């Protein structure tokens, strides 16, 4: 099955004030904005940013409620990946400094315990691979069992592209959610990755959804794509209907093909958050990599009041995040409760 991007036009309005259209269409009726409407959102001026974020927050509260889902991540295998994703310092094809390292099972369980102590309800195991081989699947089986035996937390995984047999194996292990990002819009994907296709990623996402696992699927923005392609990515994710969308902002890594790019501006990032919420009113929208660099402390707060309803706490795979205590204190300040563990089942 090949990936199908959403149709470029439908009967949703594109005439008139886009924020008022979004208020009636998304907030009142729960109908996502389409690609053309999202382009208009992304083109709104800074003078209307506060109004736009306020609307996105209203949509989040109506369809998602006030609770925040908190997740920690750890890399089971870091570096040495054969793929050439141009944003990623884990690729073995670039001169970036991350080299291949494997994490053992006791370290994995220890990281899961530390994540649970922050109040997180989910722990994601990530491996820098094209897809898992037999060794990695065996280590996953051992690791997931060890975590479930000792830690009261959901286990998610991100292991690259999967076969149907591997999808079935992860279900048998008790993996709750699988992360596999589209990364970029279909039209821009060849500028980001050349060693595999958009369709291969889409097919893995489809198999995961059909398996009964929750699908976590998002992408990166600020990689040189146009506003139109940013809207295209949001619309494609809306068509895919994942359970969760992690939104990453490019943190240019030295030695990668995108290492020379400037981080996107805070206002562009906030407009993007609002646009994704208006494209995905019923989907968990998670802060992921790059928010510290792109938004800083004030912008992070603005995003939580502009459509975001989930966060990754602590460090990312190859970059540093905020101190988990800072994020948890901010959630307390905003009176946003952490979603209880049993509510994510």
């Amino acid at each position: 099955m090949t990936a199908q991007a959403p149709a470029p036009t439908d009967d949703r309005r594109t005439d008139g004030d886009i924020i008022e259209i979004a208020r009636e269409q998304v907030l009142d009726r729960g109908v996502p904005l389409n690609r053309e409407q999202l382009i208009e959102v992304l083109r709104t001026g800074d003078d209307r940013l506060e109004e736009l974020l306020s609307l996105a927050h209203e949509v989040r509260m109506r369809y998602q409620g006030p609770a925040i889902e908190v997740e920690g991540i750890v890399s089971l295998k870091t570096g040495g990946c054969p793929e050439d994703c141009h944003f990623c310092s884990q690729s073995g094809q670039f001169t970036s400094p991350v080299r291949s390292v494997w994490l053992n099972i006791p370290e994995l369980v220890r990281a899961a315990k530390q994540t649970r102590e922050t109040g997180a309800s989910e722990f994601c195991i990530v491996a820098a691979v094209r897809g898992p081989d037999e060794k990695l699947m065996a280590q996953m089986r051992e690791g997931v069992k060890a975590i479930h035996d000792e830690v009261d937390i959901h286990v998610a995984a991100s292991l690259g592209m999967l076969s149907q047999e591997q999808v079935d194996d992860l279900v048998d292990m008790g993996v709750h959610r699988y992360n596999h990002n589209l990364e970029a819009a279909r039209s821009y994907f060849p500028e980001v990755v050349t060693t595999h296709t958009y369709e291969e990623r889409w097919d893995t996402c489809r198999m995961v959804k059909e398996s009964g696992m929750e699908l976590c699927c998002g992408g990166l923005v600020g990689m040189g794509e146009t506003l139109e392609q940013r809207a295209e990515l949001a619309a494609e994710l809306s068509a895919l209907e994942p359970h969760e969308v992690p939104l990453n902002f490019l943190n240019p890594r030295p030695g990668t093909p995108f290492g020379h790019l400037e981080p996107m501006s805070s206002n562009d990032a906030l407009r993007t958050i609002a646009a994704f919420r208006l494209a995905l009113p019923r989907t968990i929208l998670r802060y992921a990599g790059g928010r510290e660099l792109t938004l800083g402390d004030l912008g992070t707060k603005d995003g939580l009041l502009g459509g975001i309803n989930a966060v990754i706490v602590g460090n990312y795979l190859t970059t540093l995040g905020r101190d988990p205590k800072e994020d948890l204190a901010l959630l307390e300040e905003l009176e946003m409760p952490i979603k209880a563990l049993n509510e994510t089942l």
Side-chain angles (χ1 to χ4, degrees), residues 13-279:
R13 289 174 54 200
T14 56
D15 60 308
D17 182 90
I18 188 58
I19 294 180
E20 290 310 309
I21 290 171
R23 180 174 300 281
E24 186 277 331
Q25 180 177 311
V26 186
L27 181 62
D28 295 345
R29 295 192 286 121
V31 178
L33 296 188
N34 63 19
R35 179 178 176 271
E36 284 68 32
Q37 292 171 323
L38 292 167
I39 292 170
E40 289 190 55
V41 169
L42 292 170
R43 288 175 175 166
T44 55
D46 290 349
D47 60 324
R48 303 200 69 189
L49 182 57
E50 184 176 348
E51 182 184 2
L52 178 62
L53 292 172
S54 178
L55 173 60
H57 185 62
E58 287 187 70
V59 170
R60 170 266 177 101
M61 293 295 287
R62 177 166 297 183
Y63 295 103
Q64 294 284 314
I68 291 283
E69 187 178 278
V70 177
E71 178 186 47
I73 60 175
V74 70
S75 181
L76 181 62
K77 176 187 176 290
T78 303
C81 180
E83 304 305 287
D84 72 345
C85 304
H86 290 11
F87 55 83
C88 185
S89 59
Q90 298 200 65
S91 173
Q93 300 194 31
F94 308 143
T95 59
S96 42
V98 177
R99 297 276 68 87
S100 183
V101 177
W102 285 81
L103 197 66
N104 63 42
I105 300 304
E107 291 171 329
L108 198 62
V109 173
R110 190 178 311 116
K113 288 180 177 178
Q114 291 170 346
T115 297
R116 185 69 191 107
E117 288 169 2
T118 69
S121 59
E122 185 165 289
F123 179 69
C124 187
I125 302 171
V126 183
V129 292
R130 175 184 174 87
D133 58 15
E134 291 183 12
K135 174 186 175 182
L136 179 53
M137 291 298 289
Q139 198 167 24
M140 277 294 299
R141 185 172 293 278
E142 183 182 355
V144 173
K145 183 180 185 305
I147 292 169
H148 281 157
D149 286 346
E150 297 192 39
V151 190
D152 187 17
I153 198 166
H154 292 307
V155 177
S158 179
L159 313 173
M161 291 171 286
L162 301 174
S163 67
Q164 185 62 61
E165 181 180 3
Q166 290 167 336
V167 170
D168 296 340
D169 283 349
L170 291 172
V171 172
D172 289 341
M173 292 177 204
V175 171
H176 163 69
R177 184 180 293 172
Y178 194 78
N179 170 253
H180 193 61
N181 290 339
L182 292 181
E183 306 298 15
R186 186 177 186 179
S187 69
Y188 194 61
F189 192 87
E191 305 301 317
V192 179
V193 185
T194 68
T195 49
H196 61 265
T197 66
Y198 178 99
E199 287 76 13
E200 288 175 285
R201 284 187 170 270
W202 185 279
D203 285 345
T204 289
C205 293
R206 176 183 53 81
M207 287 188 290
V208 167
K209 284 193 66 177
E210 291 172 355
S211 76
M213 279 190 291
E214 291 184 355
L215 174 64
C216 172
C217 180
L220 281 87
V221 293
M223 297 190 293
E225 75 280 358
T226 64
L227 291 184
E228 290 79 6
Q229 288 166 326
R230 204 169 291 165
E232 179 188 347
L233 174 60
E236 288 167 350
L237 289 166
S238 180
L240 183 59
E241 297 183 327
H243 183 266
E244 172 187 332
V245 170
L247 186 56
N248 297 271
F249 305 94
L250 180 69
N251 183 343
R253 308 315 300 154
T256 66
F258 288 165
H260 66 286
L261 296 178
E262 291 293 324
M264 67 190 303
S265 73
S266 294
N267 283 358
D268 280 344
L270 291 169
R271 259 187 295 273
T272 300
I273 290 169
F276 271 63
R277 173 50 70 205
L278 297 174

